[in-house]
Amino acid sequence: MAGTEAATDLGSSRRSQDDTATLIPHSGNLEESSRRGVKTTRFKDDDEVVEITLDVQRDSVAIEDVRAVDDGGSGHGGGFDGLSLVSPSSSMSGKLASKLRQVTNGLKLKNSSNKAQQTQLGKNVRKRFDRSKSGAAVALKGLQFVTAKVGHDGWAAVEKRFNQLQVDGVLLRSRFGKCIGMEGSDEFAVQVFDSLARKRGIVKQMLTKDELKDFWEQLSDQGFDNRLQTFFDMVDKNADGRITAEEVKEIITLSASANKLSKLKERADEYTALIMEELDPTNLGYIELEDLEALLLQSPSQAAARSTTHSSKLSKALSMRLATNKDTSQFYHYWQEFLYFLEENWKRIWVMTLWLSICIALFIWKFIQYRNRAVFDIMGYCVTTAKGAAETLKFNMALVLFPVCRNTITWIRSKTKIGAIVPFNDNINFHKVIAAGVAVGVALHAGAHLTCDFPRLLHASDAAYEPMKPFFGDKRPSNYWWFVKGTEGWTGVVMVVLMTIAFVLAQPWFRRNRLKDSNPLKKMTGFNAFWFTHHLFIIVYALLVVHGICLYLSRKWYKKTTWMYLAVPELLYVSERILRLFRSHDAVRIQKVAVYPGNVLALYMSKPPGFRYRSGQYIFINCRAVSPYEWHPFSITSAPGDDYLSVHIRTRGDWTSRLRTVFSEACRPPTDGESGLLRADLSKGISESNARFPKLLIDGPYGAPAQDYREYDVLLLIGLGIGATPLISIVKDVLNHIQQGGSVAGTEPEGSGRTKKRPFMTKRAYFYWVTREEGSFEWFRGVMNEVAEKDKDGVIELRNHCSSVYEEGDARSALIVMLQELQHAKKGVDILSGTSVKTHFARPNWRSVFKHVAVNHENQRVGVFYCGEPVLVPQLRQLSADFTHKTNTKFEFHKENF
C-alpha cells in the first residue's frame, strides 16, 4: 500500500506538555528505537510484524509511518496513512488497524506537574480516520487555500508573478498575497505567510523562489489533514499546539476583516465565548486540533439537505438534457439561438417592425410627393429627403409622448388583455428608441435644408427660380440670413438647440453624473439637469406647431399636418399631468422612519383615501423641503393588504441624500430590539414631534413588470441590493394570501370601482436576495422574521446571499461558516441577518438555482422576476430560455427597470 509522508496528529484531546513517551506492553513483543526524536515501535504477533513510527514533539504525537515488515525487519510495502489503515476493503489494513489501536491505547504522556493523564489515542485514531461520508465530503471541499479564484492558474502563474514582484531575487512579505493570487485579503495572506514561515523557522520578512515554491506546495496540497494543520498553525501563533481564547478572537477578527464583516468584528468577544463554550466544555482555556476538526467536519444540517433536489435520478437526467451537444454543427447552434431570441423577444420585434414600417412608409410617401413637384427641379433630392424626414419627425414627436403616459399604460395593462401582445414593460426603452428616431429625423431634415437645398436655391438662375416666386417671393433670397430670420428659420434653429441640450443631458453618462469631480461640467449634470432640460420640450412642442404652420412650400391649411399629429398625444399628456397635480395635492402622514446601514431610508406612510395598488408597482415622491419641483420614482415595499404604505430609498444622488438628511434630523437612536441606525415611530398616533417631519406628496401607483406575478404557479424572485424592494412587497403579499386561504380580494388599482375575488395562482415562491453589505439585511429583517414565523407550510423559500464573504470552502470564510452553524444551532439566529433565515455566502450558482426549481416544479409556469444591476440580465435571460426549451418547466423572464 502506498502512503503519504505527512504526519497525522494522534494526540489526545487534552495533552500534557511533556515530550516523553512511555510504552505500556500488551500481548505481543514490543521493540522500540529512537532516532532524531522519532519513536519507532514494532509489534509482533504470530507471523506478522507491524512497524509504527511516531513523531513525538512537545505535547503532540503524530504517526509518521506505518508499515508491515518481515521477520528480518525489511518492509513489505510502502508506508500508508491512517485512512488506508482502516479501509474496510483490505483485510491486511484491518489487521494493522487493530495492531495500531492496541499500541496507541498503550501510549501515555506525562505533564510537567507529573500528574499522569491517560490518553485515548485509539478513540482519536478512529475519530480522525473513520470519517462519515458527509464529513469526508466536507473535508474534500473545506479549508481551501487554493480555490477557483485564488491560485487556480497553478505554480507557473505564481512564478510569473514572483518574477514581476521580486526585489533583488526575493519576495517581500507584504506582497505574498498578491503573488499567490490572494488579492483583497492582504492581512489574511500575511498571517498565512507568518504561519508557514514559523513552521519552517524562517524569521526574515522575505522569501526566495524556492521557499515560495515550498509554501505553495503546502497551500495547494489537496489533503484535508494538511490543510487543517496549516489553518491550525495560522491560529496557533505561539506554536504550542493549543488555541487560546485570545487566539480565537484574533482569527475571528481577521476573518471578519477579510470578508468585510464589520458588525461581526464588533462582536468578536461574544463569538469567541461561543466557540470556547462549544469546544472547551471543561473550561481548560484552550482547544486543540481535534476539537477544531470535529467542528469543521460536522454533518450538513437538515435544512441544507432539504434544499437539495428531491430526486437525484431526475436531477441527473436533467443535467444530461442541459449538457451541450458537442456533435451539433455551428449552424444548428446559431439556429437554436435565433429561435430562442424570437421566442423571447417576439413582442418587441413586432412592435419595432410596425414602428419602422410606418416611418419608412411616411418617408417614401412624402419623398414621392415632392419628387413630382416643380421644386424638385431646383432643389433635387435634397428637398425630398428633407420633407420625408420631416414627416417621420412629426409622427415620432407625437408617438414619443405615449410611453411616458404612465397612468394610461397602467390602466391598459391592468384592465385589458393588450399586455399579452404589447411589451408595456419596455415603455421607457421604446421612448428612448423613438427619441433616437427623432434625432435621426432632425439630422436629415435640418442637414438637407442647410447644406443642400437652401444653397441650391440661393445659386439658382432667374429662369429656374421663376416657379419658386409663389413660395419665396418675387426676389430671390440673397443669403442664409434671409432663411434664418424668418419664422420658419428661427423656430427651427431654436428647436434644434433645445433638443440637442435635452438629448445630451439625458444620456446615462450625464444623467447619472459619472463625470470626474475635477470636470467643470459636473455641476451642470445629474438628474436635476436631466429633469429640467427635458421640460424644455414644452417649448419645443409649441415651436414645432408654429414651425409646421409657417411652411415655405405648403399654403393650404389641410396640408399643414403637424398639429394633426400632435393634437391627441399632447392632449393626453397634458391630461395626465393635470391628474397628477390634483391626485398629489394632499400630503401623506408619516408614521415611521428608519435610517439603515448602506444609506437606506425607510418611510412608512398612511394610505391616501381610495389608494389601491398591486405588489411590484411604484410611486413618485415629492418632498418640498428638498425640492418643490422634483418627483422621483420608488418601488412600494408594503403589501396591498397592509394598512400602511412604505418605500425604501437608497441615497445615490443629491436629492436622495438631502431627503435622508432632513428625515434623520427628526429621528433618534434605536432602542433594544429595534433595527436601523436612527428611528422615529409615530404610528400610535399624531404627536407634536410629527410636525418635525417634512411633508411628502405621492403620485401613483404606476405599473411595473413585477405586478404580473399572480399569473404564475411558481415565482423565482431575484433581487440585487436595493433591487429587492419590489420583490419584498410580492413576498409579503404571498404570505398574506397564505393566511387568507389563497384568494385575493380588493387589490385592484385605483378606479376599479368594485371588489373582486379570484383564485390566487401562486403556490410556491423562491426569493434570492444578493447583497454585498451585511448591514443590508436590517432593511427587511421584520419581513424575514414574519415569513419564518407564519409560513408554516414552507411556501416561501428565502435565500439571502452575502457576496462580500468568500464562498464556502475557502479558508478565509471557514471560521465564518463555523460560527454561523454554531449560532444557528444554539440560538436559531443567523450571525449576519439577525433572523432565523440562514445567510449563504458568495453569489449563487444560478444554473443550479434554475435546475432546483425545474426539478421540483415539472409542467408548471415559473415567473422569473429580476430587479438589480443590468450585469446579471443576460445570464438570467439565457438560463430562462435554456430551461424552458430543455425541460418541461416553462420559465418566463421579466426585468425591472433599475
Side-chain angles (χ1 to χ4, degrees), residues 119 216 224 322 328 351 452 467 505 588 613 658 708 714 794 818 896:
T119 65
W216 175 255
F224 175 74
L322 291 171
T328 57
V351 171
C452 189
L505 294 181
V588 293
Y613 65 97
R658 294 198 301 271
D708 299 326
V714 181
M818 180 196 309
E896 186 80 26

Side-chain angles (χ1 to χ4, degrees), residues 40 162 483 613 676 739:
T40 301
F162 174 87
F483 295 104
Y613 65 97
Q739 296 176 285

Side-chain angles (χ1 to χ4, degrees), residues 587-652:
V588 293
R589 184 173 63 86
I590 305 298
Q591 295 180 344
K592 284 195 298 184
V593 176
V595 180
Y596 291 108
N599 291 325
V600 170
L601 172 68
L603 300 176
Y604 297 81
M605 303 160 279
S606 60
K607 273 186 181 180
F611 188 88
R612 296 179 181 272
Y613 65 97
R614 292 181 181 179
S615 292
Q617 294 183 331
Y618 66 95
I619 58 175
F620 278 84
I621 292 180
N622 170 268
C623 181
R624 298 291 176 88
V626 176
S627 173
Y629 307 109
E630 293 184 54
W631 291 81
H632 293 265
F634 299 101
S635 297
I636 303 173
T637 54
S638 55
D642 294 334
D643 57 359
Y644 60 88
L645 191 66
S646 67
V647 292
H648 287 66
I649 303 171
R650 186 160 197 171
T651 56
R652 304 185 66 176

Side-chain angles (χ1 to χ4, degrees), residues 439-504:
V440 172
V442 169
L444 289 175
H445 180 72
H449 275 322
L450 297 176
T451 65
C452 189
D453 55 10
F454 287 171
R456 294 184 67 168
L457 183 64
L458 292 173
H459 295 90
S461 64
D462 292 339
Y465 180 75
E466 188 66 27
M468 298 294 102
K469 288 182 178 180
F471 307 108
F472 296 98
D474 295 336
K475 186 177 179 181
R476 185 180 64 223
S478 58
N479 51 47
Y480 263 96
W481 180 245
W482 187 91
F483 295 104
V484 173
K485 71 179 182 180
T487 305
E488 302 90 335
W490 72 262
T491 55
V493 171
V494 172
M495 282 193 296
V496 169
V497 172
L498 295 180
M499 292 171 76
T500 301
I501 295 173
F503 284 161
V504 170

Side-chain angles (χ1 to χ4, degrees), residues 313-325 847 851 886:
K313 292 183 179 179
L314 182 58
S315 178
K316 184 176 180 180
L318 181 59
S319 298
M320 295 175 63
R321 292 166 63 183
L322 291 171
T324 303
N325 188 351
R847 191 170 188 84
K851 179 180 176 181
K886 297 181 180 180

Side-chain angles (χ1 to χ4, degrees), residues 74 174 183 204 263 300 325 383 413 525-526 730 747 770 799:
S74 60
S174 59
E183 294 190 72
K204 56 185 179 180
K263 289 187 175 294
N325 188 351
V383 70
R413 71 187 300 166
T525 61
I730 295 176
T747 57
V770 184
R799 300 274 295 190

Side-chain angles (χ1 to χ4, degrees), residues 108-149:
K108 178 186 292 184
L109 297 177
K110 299 180 180 179
N111 59 22
S112 58
S113 63
N114 296 322
K115 182 179 180 180
Q117 293 185 353
Q118 181 66 40
T119 65
Q120 298 186 17
L121 293 177
K123 294 182 179 180
N124 288 331
V125 170
R126 291 192 294 272
K127 178 181 178 181
R128 289 289 306 278
F129 294 150
D130 193 16
R131 291 173 181 147
S132 66
K133 183 177 180 180
S134 59
V138 175
L140 184 63
K141 298 179 180 179
L143 277 178
Q144 296 280 353
F145 289 92
V146 176
T147 66
K149 296 182 179 179

